[in-house]
Amino acid sequence: MNIIDELTWRGAVNQQTDAEGLKKLVSSRPISLYCGVDPTGDSMHIGHLIPFMMMKRFELADHHPYILIGGATGSIGDPSGRKSERQLQTMETVQHNVAALSAQMQKLFGGADHISFVNNYDWLSKISLLEFLRDYGKLFNINTMLAKDIVASRLDVGISFTEFAYQILQSVDFLTLHRKYNVQLQIGGADQWGNITSGIDLIHKVAGADAEVYGLTIPLMLKADGTKFGKTAGGAIWLDEKKTSPYEFYQFWLNQDDRDVIKYLKYFTFLDQTEITEIERQLKTHPENRLAQRRLAEEVTRFVHGEDALKSAQRITDILFAGNIGSLSATEVQAAFGKAPSVEITSTPSDIVTLLVTTEIEPSKRQAREDVTNGAITVNGVRITDVDQVIDPHDKFDGQFVIIRRGKKKYFLAHVQD
């Protein structure tokens, strides 16, 4: 299947500057293409992952992707999707984020034979102010720049020259990569359309109108309920395991709505059309098995965190489902309950009622006794019904944690302090 046909089947194509020309080009020979990410933070979240999954698909189809880390553009900020100016980061912070994102990209894609990594700081930092104005600024029409959606949406509240000029810098990126590596395609999110077309215009002005360069954007991903994909009540789902543990990452995918799961299988996995079609058939006939969700969680967790992390996430899931919390290791407890409400307790043994009240899990001794007597309290997976039961914090999890559950779902992670 032609790579463009595959992306279309996967629902991954929003706009193209020349659909017929691009399809003809990628069908005739391997090409070089690029996608960039600015280091606004020290980790990507799953929303960032979408265009880079497309890059990996191009690589698997024998094309040569270039992944660009915006060490320069990230220091000024893209105005896209914002109603106010970005707070500029220090250059030290930018460089820290560049290193973190570069390591993350290398982990995800560094083993590929035909994926290269570049940093636009390497060329943009060498352009003087006069060169910027004479060699590039002269080629951009203010009226055209103002008409771009990313700029027009900010005119009512105002936009600084710094963010206004962002599209020029990104255009220079495309031109530089085209000159140096014969990059012919830029991929980006739907909000990058204006920047991508500016880059194509610049290349045509510098290299000639017959230069074969193209742009492709992916759709904005929304869930079936119309809300933005990738966010939860606890915030973004990060690719950094220190921000979102592999278990939490796995659970995010495992809990996807039936209405969304096939779309996500197409976007975020490398399963082929035949296998996804079969999974979709089983989803329709036996949705209670949640095969689609399990395959989605397995494939994406394995891709981002590796096989060992996937097995650990599955083990924690199985243990919690069986209610055998005491079988978890201390590390697994941290992974599974790291986002649960946290309390601190001393290492001194205490009766259950005192423990519940001093941690403010229960508002009073009367309520604590009532909940214990009614069987609403479990400690480390064991139901406690005796109000005089003594809890020793050293019993489980290397003496580091005590897991308290009130009711069916309300968990508290007690950190044991020496």
Side-chain angles (χ1 to χ4, degrees):
M1 183 187 297
N2 178 283
I3 181 63
I4 301 300
D5 289 336
E6 180 183 355
L7 295 181
T8 301
W9 172 75
R10 291 182 182 273
V13 176
N14 180 41
Q15 290 176 287
Q16 299 181 70
T17 54
D18 178 2
E20 184 178 342
L22 179 58
K23 185 173 181 179
K24 182 178 179 181
L25 176 66
V26 298
S27 300
S28 64
R29 60 178 175 79
I31 69 163
S32 294
L33 64 151
Y34 95 97
C35 182
V37 60
D38 279 343
T40 53
D42 59 4
S43 174
M44 294 189 296
H45 55 68
I46 55 175
H48 293 127
L49 191 59
I50 303 171
F52 294 102
M53 297 294 285
M54 301 304 109
M55 300 289 277
K56 180 63 177 178
R57 296 189 202 286
F58 271 94
E59 190 265 336
L60 292 174
D62 295 325
H63 301 286
H64 192 138
Y66 285 80
I67 292 177
L68 182 148
I69 305 292
T73 45
S75 69
I76 67 169
D78 182 355
S80 178
R82 300 178 63 85
K83 289 298 182 182
S84 61
E85 290 286 316
R86 289 182 184 271
Q87 183 69 38
L88 293 180
Q89 300 181 101
T90 66
M91 289 306 296
E92 290 78 8
T93 298
V94 171
Q95 291 307 311
H96 167 77
N97 293 344
V98 166
L101 292 191
S102 297
Q104 205 165 67
M105 286 293 190
Q106 287 284 348
K107 179 183 176 184
L108 288 171
F109 303 107
D113 293 333
H114 304 296
I115 294 182
S116 300
F117 301 87
V118 293
N119 182 343
N120 63 14
Y121 188 84
D122 294 341
W123 56 84
L124 292 179
S125 64
K126 294 180 173 62
I127 300 174
S128 71
L129 175 60
L130 290 178
E131 288 172 329
F132 175 76
L133 294 174
R134 287 178 61 87
D135 297 344
Y136 304 111
K138 196 68 174 175
L139 300 176
F140 284 80
N141 183 285
I142 290 292
N143 291 339
T144 302
M145 295 176 71
L146 290 172
K148 300 290 186 181
D149 288 344
I150 55 175
V151 174
S153 65
R154 286 280 296 279
L155 293 180
D156 56 335
V157 295
I159 182 172
S160 69
F161 177 78
T162 297
E163 293 195 6
F164 178 67
Y166 183 95
Q167 61 181 285
I168 299 180
L169 297 184
Q170 186 166 319
S171 299
V172 175
D173 287 344
F174 200 170
L175 174 62
T176 301
L177 294 174
H178 179 67
R179 283 171 164 171
K180 193 169 183 179
Y181 304 113
N182 193 32
V183 168
Q184 293 180 274
L185 171 65
Q186 182 182 357
I187 289 179
D191 60 345
Q192 293 298 309
W193 179 252
N195 290 330
I196 291 172
T197 54
S198 290
I200 290 173
D201 290 343
L202 177 61
I203 293 171
H204 285 158
K205 289 175 181 176
V206 173
D210 59 345
E212 274 198 283
V213 284
Y214 303 88
L216 182 153
T217 63
I218 60 177
L220 175 67
M221 184 170 288
L222 298 175
K223 295 189 288 187
D225 61 10
T227 59
K228 192 173 181 180
F229 166 78
K231 297 292 183 69
T232 68
I237 305 299
W238 300 98
L239 304 190
D240 185 343
E241 64 181 22
K242 294 184 178 67
K243 295 176 179 288
T244 300
S245 73
Y247 166 75
E248 293 166 327
F249 189 84
Y250 178 83
Q251 286 294 313
F252 170 81
W253 299 104
L254 192 64
N255 289 306
Q256 290 305 314
D257 192 302
D258 286 351
R259 297 171 295 173
D260 291 318
V261 66
I262 298 301
K263 175 173 66 176
Y264 296 163
L265 280 167
K266 291 178 178 180
Y267 262 82
F268 292 103
T269 78
F270 298 101
L271 302 179
D272 61 27
Q273 186 170 350
T274 300
E275 188 163 6
I276 291 177
T277 299
E278 172 59 21
I279 293 172
E280 185 173 18
R281 184 192 67 79
Q282 294 191 42
L283 174 66
K284 291 176 180 177
T285 56
H286 297 289
E288 70 281 2
N289 292 339
R290 299 187 67 77
L291 171 66
Q293 283 85 350
R294 284 190 284 109
R295 285 305 304 276
L296 176 66
E298 289 169 6
E299 294 294 325
V300 186
T301 305
R302 181 185 292 113
F303 177 70
V304 173
H305 292 297
E307 187 68 33
D308 289 345
L310 168 62
K311 289 180 179 178
S312 175
Q314 290 173 321
R315 167 181 152 80
I316 296 172
T317 299
D318 291 343
I319 287 173
L320 293 182
F321 182 78
N324 191 18
I325 289 176
S327 299
L328 295 172
S329 68
T331 300
E332 289 170 336
V333 167
Q334 184 65 52
F337 297 99
K339 296 292 178 66
S342 177
V343 297
E344 293 185 356
I345 61 174
T346 67
S347 58
T348 305
S350 168
D351 67 84
I352 183 62
V353 172
T354 300
L355 177 64
L356 293 172
V357 174
T358 56
T359 56
E360 299 183 351
I361 293 174
E362 294 283 15
S364 66
K365 288 189 174 182
R366 182 195 62 77
Q367 186 65 55
R369 291 190 189 96
E370 182 177 324
D371 283 348
V372 170
T373 303
N374 292 337
I377 301 296
T378 65
V379 175
N380 296 337
V382 178
R383 189 178 305 279
I384 306 297
T385 56
D386 181 359
V387 294
D388 295 320
Q389 177 74 47
V390 173
I391 306 301
D392 186 348
H394 292 104
D395 276 350
K396 293 286 185 182
F397 316 129
D398 300 331
Q400 298 181 44
F401 307 107
V402 174
I403 301 172
I404 302 168
R405 190 185 76 188
R406 188 185 69 209
K408 292 184 177 181
K409 295 183 177 180
K410 189 64 174 179
Y411 283 93
F412 298 85
L413 181 62
H415 296 258
V416 179
Q417 308 296 312
D418 291 330

